[in-house]
Amino acid sequence: MKRKGLFVYLPIAFALIFIAGVGIGRYAGKINAKRGPYAHADKISSIIDYVQDQYVDTVNREKLIDKTIADMLQELDPHSAYMTAEEVKRANEPLEGNFEGIGIEFNIITDTIRVMNVITGGPSETVGIHAGDRIVSVDGKPFTGKKVNNNLVLKTLRGQGGTKVNISIRRPGIPKLFAFNITRGTVPIYSIDAAYMLKGDIGYVKLSRFAATSFDEYNAAFKKLQLQGMQKMILDLRGNGGGYLNIAVSLADEFLSKGKMIVYTKGRAVPHGGKKFIATAGGAFENNTLVLLIDENSASASEIIAGAIQDNDRGTIVGRRSFGKGLVQEERELADGSAFRLTIARYFTPSGRCIQRTYAKGSEEYYQEESDRYKRGELMNADSIKFIDSLKFRTPSGKIVYGGGGIMPDVFVPLDTAERSHYVNELIYRGLIKDFALEYADANGDKLKKEGFDHFRKSFSVDDALLHQLMAYAQTNKLKADEQQLERCRTFLSNYVKATLARILWTEEDFYIIYNTRDKTLQRAILEAEKK
């Protein structure tokens, strides 16, 4: 989400408009005496004209218009927004399910581009680029040093499909450079991070977004697990910020029998006040055990699914209260490729709960909600959540559920703070574990890959010596060692390092196969599935 851009320019926009207004009042009289429904639009245009002509410094008219529109929409609610043409393209890529480029994930480490992951099905995988490769030149010119930053890399390596780029890479352990001539193409963005059997007849599916390809990906994963004997499913929507409504409705339809309400919308100007989405016949998983995982970062489409499952008494929701994003935006593209998203309705669950939480105190406080929940203790203790009796609803079975924003799970699992510390968070968020794991994979990856993932999963151990190597590596990168916090979080950290190695050496799914063995929310979900 590009919230920062909407906040940065507000003071400038207000100041320019105010200055222009004073100047107009004192020296120019009434610029615009028109009356009628478009008088205010003429007023804004006149002010911008005057600013452009008379302001003490040169101003960029297009930027001024962009700032004014962004400010206007931001005043309405936290999700109405204006986007430049470039922002539209970047925002839509994850939802369209692909972009055009060479298909790598990268980090810039000591002024050198290091390939962190090669995207399956992308152009770089086709020519033989590996995780761990260092890009040292592009189109015959050196591409290292302090000038190299994320924006420059994206600008240089992304591009229209069919165009070519020549890169030279240095591969660890091999003295010569490798040259690759890569034809840019469509790079797939996958929505299913993992789909595998947990134990017995319980399958696990982790869905990261509701993109254009998500339902097709889900069906493929479902069929794979069904062939492996899945009778019960744990669907993980933690961290899933939403996406396309039609994809969420299609997925919910797989779990609900014909005639069940999925979600409905209400809006002042929406035809007939809103729309109802009803389940159809023939869902492939209508009668089997379903457990859904959510957390404070599950939003929008994720909340539609959770609300539909909970309000129809269809499955068990496990985790923590979801984000509370229940505003419906309609996107309109403008002639220059820019666009704006305007909130036109609200989402309601089948029992009548409004998913959207309040934004009465403004957008800044709205987006600090996760931090506020942590401070209130809500992420650690369900009793810290203040329910309002007037927002009490009942499901068909008589179970009480509450409105007021977000979906409260049936089974609350607190945030696990015992295994996390400031030191460990710094290791993760600064990318030091990932960088250290890549160094380790450079030196040991061939042997580990030859032995295979199953051997790695069962036999590889992150011992004390390796953890102290990690701590020393972090210290060379200006993170002071903390032996006490390391000891406290040893089990979690060992598992996380191992999972990160699995991601580098194999796939995203293999990361979750390792990581999930220590996930307390998932372990609780397994217990809930086993009860059924």
Side-chain angles (χ1 to χ4, degrees):
M1 301 178 75
K2 295 181 171 54
R3 297 192 296 272
K4 286 187 178 179
L6 299 176
F7 287 116
V8 167
Y9 302 122
L10 298 190
I12 300 171
F14 280 132
L16 288 174
I17 292 171
F18 175 74
I19 291 168
V22 172
I24 292 166
R26 287 184 177 175
Y27 304 113
K30 292 183 179 178
I31 289 177
N32 184 2
K34 293 181 180 179
R35 293 292 179 265
Y38 299 106
H40 293 295
D42 292 337
K43 183 191 297 185
I44 292 170
S45 178
S46 297
I47 292 174
I48 290 175
D49 287 343
Y50 190 78
V51 169
Q52 185 178 20
D53 291 341
Q54 302 296 325
Y55 187 62
V56 63
D57 296 318
T58 301
V59 296
N60 182 311
R61 181 182 181 86
E62 293 306 313
K63 285 187 176 181
L64 188 59
I65 291 171
D66 287 349
K67 294 170 190 176
T68 303
I69 296 172
D71 173 30
M72 174 185 69
L73 292 172
Q74 188 64 37
E75 283 295 301
L76 299 175
D77 66 77
H79 297 292
S80 291
Y82 170 78
M83 297 172 290
T84 64
E86 181 61 27
E87 287 173 334
V88 170
K89 183 179 178 182
R90 293 275 179 91
N92 286 338
E93 279 175 354
L95 296 180
E96 291 170 353
N98 58 70
F99 64 93
E100 291 184 332
I102 68 169
I104 63 169
E105 295 174 1
F106 67 90
N107 267 5
I108 299 173
I109 303 171
T110 58
D111 301 330
T112 301
I113 304 163
R114 180 177 293 186
V115 178
M116 305 302 294
N117 186 35
V118 181
I119 297 173
T120 302
S124 289
E125 183 194 45
T126 302
V127 301
I129 302 291
H130 295 171
D133 287 348
R134 279 82 160 167
I135 297 176
V136 295
S137 71
V138 176
D139 290 331
K141 298 178 182 179
F143 208 64
T144 60
K146 292 185 178 179
K147 67 177 182 180
V148 177
N149 56 42
N150 289 337
N151 287 334
L152 181 62
V153 175
L154 291 173
K155 184 178 179 181
T156 305
L157 298 184
R158 283 192 178 187
Q160 187 173 354
T163 60
K164 296 183 182 294
V165 61
N166 295 288
I167 68 171
S168 293
I169 65 100
R170 187 176 299 282
R171 186 162 290 167
I174 301 175
K176 70 171 185 176
L177 295 180
F178 288 86
F180 293 93
N181 186 19
I182 305 175
T183 301
R184 296 183 180 93
T186 298
V187 180
I189 301 175
Y190 296 107
S191 304
I192 301 287
D193 289 337
Y196 65 94
M197 296 300 292
L198 286 166
K199 60 183 295 190
D201 60 355
I202 303 173
Y204 171 82
V205 178
K206 181 166 180 61
L207 183 66
S208 60
R209 62 179 67 83
F210 289 88
T213 61
S214 297
F215 187 62
D216 291 338
E217 289 181 53
Y218 166 80
N219 277 329
F222 175 78
K223 289 173 184 175
K224 180 187 81 169
L225 296 181
Q226 202 174 33
L227 289 173
Q228 296 175 27
M230 179 179 69
Q231 296 295 321
K232 302 175 180 181
M233 184 194 300
I234 296 175
L235 178 61
D236 192 346
L237 298 180
R238 290 175 296 175
N240 185 323
Y244 290 135
L245 170 63
N246 65 312
I247 301 297
V249 169
S250 294
L251 185 56
D253 200 355
E254 290 295 293
F255 307 128
L256 297 171
S257 57
K258 183 179 180 180
K260 299 290 187 182
M261 174 81 73
I262 296 172
V263 69
Y264 65 93
T265 64
K266 285 183 181 179
R268 179 183 61 85
V270 176
H272 310 296
K275 187 173 182 180
K276 295 179 180 180
F277 297 86
I278 308 296
T280 60
F285 208 73
E286 289 182 358
N287 301 308
N288 299 68
T289 297
L290 177 66
V291 179
L292 204 67
L293 305 186
I294 62 171
D295 66 8
E296 55 280 358
N297 295 308
S298 303
S300 191
S302 294
E303 296 174 293
I304 288 172
I305 299 262
I309 297 303
Q310 190 174 58
D311 283 12
N312 284 295
D313 295 308
R314 171 62 188 86
T316 305
I317 314 295
V318 176
R320 294 183 292 278
R321 183 163 68 102
S322 62
F323 182 85
K325 195 277 186 186
L327 296 179
V328 185
Q329 281 77 49
E330 182 178 72
E331 183 171 310
R332 290 293 181 95
E333 189 173 335
L334 302 174
D336 63 353
S338 63
F340 66 93
R341 291 176 179 170
L342 184 69
T343 296
I344 60 169
R346 290 180 172 84
Y347 290 125
F348 292 82
T349 70
S351 68
R353 293 182 287 166
C354 180
I355 292 172
Q356 180 64 42
R357 58 185 167 84
T358 181
Y359 46 89
K361 294 182 179 179
S363 295
E364 200 160 356
E365 283 204 28
Y366 177 80
Y367 284 115
Q368 290 177 351
E369 170 76 4
E370 185 179 346
S371 174
D372 292 340
R373 290 188 194 185
Y374 182 84
K375 291 174 184 175
R376 292 195 301 265
E378 177 182 326
L379 302 184
M380 279 69 75
N381 192 333
D383 292 339
S384 298
I385 303 170
K386 301 292 187 276
F387 294 113
I388 303 172
D389 284 343
S390 62
L391 297 175
K392 185 186 293 184
F393 296 81
R394 289 186 183 273
T395 68
S397 70
K399 179 174 63 180
I400 295 174
V401 292
Y402 287 91
I407 304 297
M408 183 65 190
D410 303 308
V411 179
F412 178 83
V413 180
L415 183 70
D416 189 357
T417 57
E419 291 190 332
R420 297 290 287 271
S421 66
H422 175 73
Y423 179 69
V424 170
N425 287 339
E426 284 289 298
L427 285 172
I428 294 172
Y429 298 144
R430 287 171 56 175
L432 295 172
I433 292 178
K434 183 166 60 175
D435 296 345
F436 173 77
L438 195 55
E439 296 278 358
Y440 187 87
D442 285 348
N444 303 279
D446 289 342
K447 176 178 179 292
L448 293 171
K449 291 191 82 168
K450 187 176 179 180
E451 292 172 341
F453 175 72
D454 283 341
H455 183 272
F456 175 85
R457 178 174 58 85
K458 295 172 184 175
S459 304
F460 184 83
S461 175
V462 177
D463 57 17
D464 289 353
L466 195 56
L467 285 179
H468 280 90
Q469 286 179 39
L470 168 62
M471 191 158 53
Y473 177 85
Q475 196 153 6
T476 63
N477 286 275
K478 300 181 181 179
L479 179 61
K480 186 179 178 181
D482 192 321
E483 186 80 43
Q484 186 176 1
Q485 289 195 29
L486 180 71
E487 181 62 37
R488 182 185 124 199
C489 305
R490 178 180 301 276
T491 303
F492 169 82
L493 192 55
S494 296
N495 190 60
Y496 193 89
V497 171
K498 183 176 179 178
T500 304
L501 276 169
R503 173 185 274 151
I504 291 168
L505 295 170
W506 289 283
T507 68
E508 185 75 7
E509 179 170 288
D510 295 318
F511 169 87
Y512 284 102
I513 289 173
I514 302 285
Y515 181 80
N516 283 345
T517 60
R518 295 286 308 169
D519 187 328
K520 291 184 178 179
T521 303
L522 179 58
Q523 301 312 309
R524 180 57 188 271
I526 292 172
L527 291 176
E528 293 299 319
E530 289 176 330
K531 289 179 184 178
K532 307 297 183 183

